[in-house]
Amino acid sequence: MLNNKIIVLLILIDFTFGSMIIQTGIATAETKNKACQKALLLAQKEALQRAGINIFTSFEKKQTFMNDGKIKTIINNSFQKSYGFVKTSSKEEKVNFNPQTGYITCRVKGKFEVDTSKLKSQLLALSQKYNNQFEEENSKTKAIEEKNELLQKYNILKTNLLSTHLIDIGQISYNGGESLSLDECKKQLKRKIKTKFKNVLAKNYNISPSLIKISSIYLMNDIKVNYDNGLIVNYSGKVEGDIQSVKNPYIDEINSLNEFLGEKQIVDENEEITPKGPSFTDKIKSRYNNIIDFFSSKKQYFMINGFINFSDNCCRDIKTYSHISQFEYLINLKTKYYLKLSTGSANYKKSGDICCDDKGTIVKDDYSYEYNSIGISTMILQAKGGSKSSIDIDYVLPFSQKGTKKVGNFFNIVWNNDLVITDNIVIGTGFVIGGEEAWKDNWWTVRLGIFF
């Protein structure tokens, strides 16, 4: 609805043609001419009203109209022109002077002949013009409000959908017959699960499944396999899925309103559009945005590892001490595979005598280094209770080395066992399988991870 509006209301009743009306007007001014002129105009106005013509105007501020004063000017002109349809047949003037104020009061009594035949069509046209203008502004305001509501609904939909969802899809199966392998059967079952997941999610939000794009899904339970004249794979229970994007379901309605408002058509932000002849800068921006979209759409978490080891070999009288602290960042690439980026520091000390050696060889190592690493973490086991096991394979690049030994680049392998405490926190232990000497002695570690 329009709160700011302008209404021109014209009441035209009891029109007569050439009516003779006697009317009096009284006015005060500093001179006789001004006082009598004002009194005559008042008498003419009264004569118009008695002839059945009233112009009532109701103004409420509207910025686009009131700034230029167009409407006020037209209505004032209408009043002035209406006086031209009043013919003064005769008039009598009586004047009084007030010596205290110095003003003159003039009383005019006149006989007026009012011809309303031409004035009627003029006033009706004026009324129609501004009624139409008001209706057009009212329609545009409603269209803008409706468009803004649709845009807000889409923003709310994106906020709710672009996250991780956990849905119980019930029971679903796939019969691979005698021609498909077990791996292919599982792939086909996962496609059905993904479709079912999308359909349930779309139904919950009352939109078409085709508008939703899923980046990945995670099966919370194991796939069961049996054979009955062919392989049959079954899944039952909850599925966790990450939504990458959702198209605007209101795009057609919004563009219809834009067409009415004379505004540009919009394109859904998730539509793939290839611009003609993109500049070098546009290509760089596009690649940058693609990288940002890739990382923001994937499941990620931070992990903090702490390795520490003390040992005392009684036979050889050799003592070792080592400590490694590591900060990890992992991003999901595919269902069970994570890209792993790490940084940390390692300290290693080893000293003592090999007592069973006749020469009494003295063994001593004392070195430290900082490092970065890149690797892959793959989940190999996932239990129903929320625990999972994974293997990390990292390529470690030491730097800032100090002490008795220089360490070159090497591969490191760690077996992890983690327990999911909440949706965002995981704790666990790790066992080093291979790597540089400081790592091998640190065969056990404590882990803390935070998902986001």
Side-chain angles (χ1 to χ4, degrees):
M1 292 297 294
L2 278 178
N3 291 324
N4 297 325
K5 61 188 178 181
I6 180 164
I7 302 174
V8 180
L9 176 62
L10 307 177
I11 301 179
L12 308 170
I13 58 172
D14 191 24
F15 278 98
T16 58
F17 301 93
S19 301
M20 188 64 69
I21 298 173
I22 299 174
Q23 190 61 49
T24 300
I26 302 173
T28 300
E30 62 271 17
T31 66
K32 175 189 173 183
N33 288 341
K34 288 182 180 180
C36 290
Q37 186 180 8
K38 287 183 179 180
L40 179 61
L41 288 174
L42 288 174
Q44 287 176 335
K45 184 175 181 181
E46 293 296 327
L48 279 171
Q49 292 178 351
R50 286 185 59 186
I53 301 174
N54 268 316
I55 304 177
F56 298 97
T57 59
S58 174
F59 292 97
E60 296 180 22
K61 286 184 180 179
K62 182 165 182 57
Q63 196 70 21
T64 56
F65 288 155
M66 299 305 291
N67 279 349
D68 58 14
K70 182 177 179 181
I71 286 182
K72 282 187 174 181
T73 300
I74 290 176
I75 292 176
N76 287 335
N77 288 343
S78 297
F79 273 115
Q80 296 299 325
K81 288 178 181 178
S82 67
Y83 299 142
F85 296 100
V86 181
K87 182 179 179 182
T88 304
S89 298
S90 64
K91 64 178 179 178
E92 296 177 2
E93 297 178 352
K94 289 185 179 181
V95 178
N96 290 320
F97 174 71
N98 189 332
Q100 295 180 348
T101 63
Y103 278 82
I104 296 172
T105 299
C106 181
R107 183 178 184 274
V108 176
K109 182 179 182 181
K111 289 183 179 181
F112 305 103
E113 185 177 350
V114 181
D115 183 2
T116 60
S117 59
K118 295 182 180 179
L119 184 59
K120 176 180 179 181
S121 60
Q122 179 184 347
L123 297 180
L124 285 174
L126 182 67
S127 174
Q128 187 62 47
K129 175 181 179 180
Y130 287 101
N131 282 338
N132 292 342
Q133 198 163 357
F134 170 73
E135 290 299 327
E136 182 180 353
E137 289 294 319
N138 190 33
S139 298
K140 285 184 177 180
T141 300
K142 288 181 179 179
I144 292 172
E145 290 177 352
E146 186 176 350
K147 184 179 79 169
N148 290 336
E149 287 177 1
L150 292 173
L151 290 172
Q152 185 178 11
K153 284 177 66 176
Y154 178 49
N155 287 332
I156 294 173
L157 180 66
K158 285 196 297 183
T159 301
N160 292 334
L161 270 178
L162 299 184
S163 61
T164 300
H165 298 266
L166 187 64
I167 296 177
D168 191 336
I169 64 167
Q171 186 170 356
I172 191 167
S173 63
Y174 181 80
N175 190 333
E178 299 180 354
S179 60
L180 296 182
S181 66
L182 179 59
D183 287 342
E184 186 61 31
C185 287
K186 288 183 177 181
K187 287 181 182 178
Q188 295 298 330
L189 177 65
K190 288 180 179 178
R191 288 193 184 101
K192 291 185 68 175
I193 291 172
K194 189 174 183 179
T195 300
K196 180 69 176 295
F197 181 90
K198 184 188 291 188
N199 289 339
V200 172
L201 192 61
K203 185 178 180 181
N204 290 343
Y205 287 92
N206 195 29
I207 61 173
S208 170
S210 62
L211 300 175
I212 300 174
K213 186 176 182 180
I214 299 175
S215 59
S216 57
I217 60 171
Y218 307 86
L219 307 185
M220 306 306 290
N221 299 324
D222 296 330
I223 294 176
K224 296 181 180 180
V225 184
N226 58 60
Y227 188 88
D228 185 6
N229 294 323
L231 286 172
I232 300 174
V233 285
N234 301 276
Y235 182 80
S236 178
K238 295 181 178 180
V239 174
E240 184 182 79
D242 296 322
I243 308 305
Q244 180 176 336
S245 64
V246 54
K247 292 183 179 180
N248 190 340
Y250 318 111
I251 191 74
D252 292 337
E253 296 174 70
I254 292 172
N255 278 331
S256 177
L257 292 169
N258 279 340
E259 184 177 0
F260 171 73
L261 294 169
E263 299 179 3
K264 291 182 179 180
Q265 300 286 290
I266 63 173
V267 180
D268 190 280
E269 59 189 20
N270 298 300
E271 291 289 345
E272 296 181 0
I273 300 175
T274 304
K276 295 182 180 179
S279 65
F280 177 77
T281 303
D282 291 336
K283 289 180 180 179
I284 295 298
K285 287 181 179 179
S286 177
R287 289 175 184 174
Y288 175 79
N289 290 334
N290 288 339
I291 293 172
I292 296 299
D293 290 342
F294 172 81
F295 279 92
S296 62
S297 65
K298 300 299 183 180
K299 193 169 186 178
Q300 306 161 64
Y301 66 93
F302 290 115
M303 184 72 73
I304 301 172
N305 288 348
F307 301 77
I308 191 167
N309 177 58
F310 296 95
S311 66
D312 189 352
N313 191 312
C314 298
C315 172
R316 298 192 174 187
D317 196 22
I318 298 174
K319 297 180 180 180
T320 61
Y321 162 80
S322 55
H323 171 259
I324 296 172
S325 58
Q326 179 170 283
F327 181 79
E328 302 174 3
Y329 166 68
L330 297 98
I331 180 169
N332 182 240
L333 299 176
K334 206 172 179 181
T335 306
K336 294 183 179 181
Y337 296 92
Y338 288 81
L339 172 66
K340 177 182 172 185
L341 304 174
S342 306
T343 185
S345 62
N347 295 274
Y348 184 75
K349 292 182 180 181
K350 185 175 183 180
S351 61
D353 297 332
I354 302 177
C355 55
C356 36
D357 191 329
D358 295 337
K359 296 180 179 181
T361 304
I362 298 175
V363 178
K364 186 174 183 181
D365 268 325
D366 187 353
Y367 63 91
S368 64
Y369 58 87
E370 297 178 14
Y371 64 89
N372 295 320
S373 69
I374 182 170
I376 293 292
S377 178
T378 176
M379 187 170 61
I380 56 176
L381 293 173
Q382 184 171 3
K384 293 182 179 180
S387 62
K388 57 184 180 180
S389 298
S390 61
I391 288 182
D392 297 354
I393 301 176
D394 305 310
Y395 185 62
V396 184
L397 298 93
F399 65 93
S400 298
Q401 302 191 43
K402 298 178 182 178
T404 60
K405 181 179 179 181
K406 298 296 181 183
V407 179
N409 300 343
F410 62 92
F411 281 97
N412 193 41
I413 304 174
V414 180
W415 175 298
N416 301 306
N417 292 303
D418 297 321
L419 179 65
V420 178
I421 303 301
T422 69
D423 291 341
N424 302 102
I425 298 176
V426 60
I427 61 172
T429 60
F431 301 90
V432 178
I433 299 173
E436 191 266 333
E437 187 174 15
W439 288 78
K440 289 180 180 178
D441 285 351
N442 282 282
W443 60 274
W444 180 79
T445 178
V446 176
R447 295 157 48 84
L448 172 64
I450 300 175
F451 289 85
F452 65 97

